[in-house]
Amino acid sequence: MNMDCIENKLKECLSEERYKHTLGCAHCAIELAKKYNLDEQKAFLAGLLHDCAKCKPNDELLKIIKEELKDVDESELQNYKTLHAPVGAYFARTIYGIEDGEILDAIRCHTIGKVNMSLFEKIIFLADKIESYTRDKKYSEEIWEILNENNGEKGLDLALLRCFKETIKSLVNRELKICKTTIDVYNELLDKVKNI
């Protein structure tokens, strides 16, 4: 499926606001890929498809997870806001024809992260949180400042830690369950930045 077809299909599947966020994430992913010498076209595609399952009803997402996906941990099912990530990777492969494992993995872990994220997974995770089309500009600027003040993966880890802190606070404030993986990633990042 070529890029025009993908974009047209996403326009049909996503709300206007979600599609705007998707474009923002894709363009932010390009900026981050440039910064970290990664494949910009691949980053754009991962950013574009990261939320391809986001506008599906929760019961449909759960049905797909139950019937098609065997690698989804029970703890991931505790928060409805993360269900679209594993289904998104599944849709990217089965509907959009993506075979690149790096893209599929980045889509799969863009909500809760995972321990030992690759550089590519980290930039897609971050692009989702800091794109400038729909996200809070002050927050995005703060994360970019962290990235620009710290070189290489050190800056990424510090920026990710800041994002995970914000996510955990938000989940606590809304009295939503926190997936164990999110806590594991937070702890891993905390250990990494303390040893820098």
Side-chain angles (χ1 to χ4, degrees):
M1 193 179 284
N2 69 35
M3 204 61 79
D4 286 340
C5 288
I6 289 172
E7 289 190 36
N8 288 333
K9 186 153 188 61
L10 286 170
K11 277 182 198 171
E12 293 170 13
C13 298
L14 301 176
S15 68
E16 191 176 328
E17 184 71 6
R18 183 58 49 185
Y19 183 68
K20 186 177 175 185
H21 162 69
T22 290
L23 290 178
C25 182
H27 288 111
C28 184
I30 287 176
E31 287 181 63
L32 289 166
K34 276 183 198 165
K35 184 170 179 61
Y36 294 99
N37 299 313
L38 297 172
D39 186 317
E40 294 170 35
Q41 196 59 31
K42 199 153 105 167
F44 180 82
L45 190 54
L48 198 62
L49 288 170
H50 82 287
D51 271 352
C52 64
K54 182 74 175 180
C55 291
K56 295 289 182 194
N58 291 332
D59 57 344
E60 189 177 331
L61 295 173
L62 284 167
K63 185 175 189 281
I64 292 166
I65 288 169
K66 187 177 178 186
E67 292 176 1
E68 304 294 338
L69 306 174
K70 305 301 175 210
D71 68 335
V72 179
D73 187 79
E74 197 63 35
S75 70
E76 278 187 81
L77 306 179
Q78 295 176 349
N79 187 336
Y80 66 92
K81 292 181 76 60
T82 62
L83 298 177
H84 69 284
V87 178
Y90 173 73
F91 282 177
R93 185 172 51 81
T94 59
I95 295 172
Y96 296 92
I98 305 300
E99 295 175 0
D100 187 306
E102 205 169 20
I103 292 174
L104 296 174
D105 289 345
I107 294 169
R108 173 68 177 86
C109 76
H110 84 272
T111 54
I112 61 172
K114 72 178 190 185
V115 173
N116 294 320
M117 277 193 280
S118 71
L119 196 59
F120 189 78
E121 290 165 343
K122 287 178 180 182
I123 69 160
I124 301 305
F125 184 95
L126 221 75
D128 177 39
K129 308 299 180 268
I130 66 168
E131 57 84 7
S132 61
Y133 291 23
T134 64
R135 299 298 195 201
D136 179 84
K137 292 206 185 308
K138 189 177 175 191
Y139 179 69
S140 296
E141 287 167 6
E142 180 189 336
I143 299 298
W144 274 107
E145 200 171 298
I146 292 169
L147 293 171
N148 292 329
E149 287 176 358
N150 301 277
N151 293 327
E153 210 157 345
K154 172 186 174 181
L156 262 179
D157 288 340
L158 287 165
L160 284 167
L161 181 61
R162 176 70 182 86
C163 287
F164 273 87
K165 284 179 183 176
E166 203 57 42
T167 297
I168 290 168
K169 276 189 220 168
S170 172
L171 291 168
V172 169
N173 289 340
R174 292 180 290 157
E175 296 184 357
L176 293 171
K177 291 187 177 181
I178 302 171
C179 179
K180 183 183 177 307
T181 303
T182 298
I183 301 298
D184 291 342
V185 176
Y186 171 79
N187 289 336
E188 177 200 33
L189 290 167
L190 201 57
D191 287 342
K192 275 186 175 182
V193 301
K194 282 184 176 178
N195 293 324
I196 291 172

